[in-house]
Amino acid sequence: MSDNLLVVGGSGFVSGTVARRAVASGWRVWAVTRGRLPLPDGVITIVADREDTIVFESAIASAMQMAEIDRFDLVADCVGYDAEDAVQDVSVFGRRARQLVFISTDFVFDPAHRRFPQAEETEHYAGSGYGGNKRLCELELLNGDCGDMAWTVVRPCHIYGPGSLLGCLPNHGRDNELLDRLRRGEALALVGGGHFLQQPILATDLCLLLLSLRGNTATYNQIFCTAGPDIAESRTYYEMIANILNVELQINETPVDLHLKENPNSVPFLCHRIYDLAKLKASGAHMPATPLKEGLRQHAESLITSNA
């Protein structure tokens, strides 16, 4: 019998990728969304806005009743952001899921107190912004009463791959004109000259990891740093993309202090983001393995094809 997966999201970059991979692997897949964007083929739609918990819970309960299942084997919350979202996960899925996977972020680490490589535990977490909010979500799972529902938190670094835009560093992060800029020979304005170390993870690898967590007791009630196999300077990331296009990369360095003066919220991007994956490897979960060069080729070719 197929495993049952519920994706909270489903039409976005990561949520859509995990839904497609699960369908391809033989899972029965539901996705709860607001119904504004199409879902991948083979995914059963549950239309509800999570901001209305009563409607959200009722829609999920009705879908389960129609499918004659008492629990989802795995729920993947790909869009949780506020602590209230994690509280909702516990209250709604505590008795409806065997396991919850919550996608957090490496931005939970305070940029000023990182270690290289950074392991899961630290005394210095972000206190505000995107990373601070995601940390509050983690704490709700760590301290909440989840009953017999297991949970797993993953903290991905920069996620890339088909379905998203390219770019990992200001001023060219998720830049929809990046390929055209490179083709024109335009110099990229990279903060700090692009010398910050990154450990990007291909979305497909992240989603294979998420699916591999199902029933893996070594991952129950645990938090994992989640990153790709290659560490590279940000400028190397852009250089690889330029090489795919057979053009030369031109860089103009933007001083870090000048950029931060005008963009103080960019602090989480302007540090080395490299991680100790020993705990993840020891758990037996799927290890991200796609080389950065190959993943960027897939990503760039998907953008070239979609714009052809």
Side-chain angles (χ1 to χ4, degrees), residues 254-306:
T254 300
V256 174
D257 55 352
L258 178 62
H259 180 82
L260 287 177
K261 184 177 180 180
E262 299 176 357
N263 304 275
N265 292 333
S266 291
V267 169
F269 294 94
L270 305 180
C271 59
H272 298 311
R273 299 165 66 187
I274 57 177
Y275 299 97
D276 183 348
L277 303 181
K279 180 180 177 181
L280 181 64
K281 184 176 182 179
S283 75
H286 173 84
M287 289 297 293
T290 305
L292 179 59
K293 184 176 181 180
E294 169 59 20
L296 288 175
R297 182 192 64 77
Q298 295 176 21
H299 194 167
E301 289 182 355
S302 74
L303 291 171
I304 293 169
T305 300
S306 66

Side-chain angles (χ1 to χ4, degrees), residues 172 175-188 242 245-250:
H172 298 285
D175 184 352
N176 62 359
E177 296 185 18
L178 181 62
L179 297 185
D180 288 337
R181 295 184 198 279
L182 291 171
R183 289 190 183 106
R184 293 193 299 263
E186 180 180 328
L188 301 186
L245 300 176
N246 293 313
V247 298
E248 185 176 351
L249 176 65
Q250 304 288 337

Side-chain angles (χ1 to χ4, degrees), residues 203-268:
T204 300
D205 277 346
L206 173 60
C207 294
L208 290 173
L209 187 161
L210 296 183
L211 296 177
S212 78
L213 299 174
R214 185 264 185 271
N216 182 344
T217 57
T219 68
Y220 286 3
N221 307 331
Q222 297 294 321
I223 296 175
F224 295 96
C225 290
T226 312
D230 294 334
I231 297 171
E233 286 188 326
S234 301
R235 64 191 295 132
T236 302
Y237 169 106
Y238 290 99
E239 186 175 49
M240 288 179 176
I241 299 169
N243 289 340
I244 292 166
L245 300 176
N246 293 313
V247 298
E248 185 176 351
L249 176 65
Q250 304 288 337
I251 295 175
N252 286 335
E253 180 174 352
T254 300
V256 174
D257 55 352
L258 178 62
H259 180 82
L260 287 177
K261 184 177 180 180
E262 299 176 357
N263 304 275
N265 292 333
S266 291
V267 169

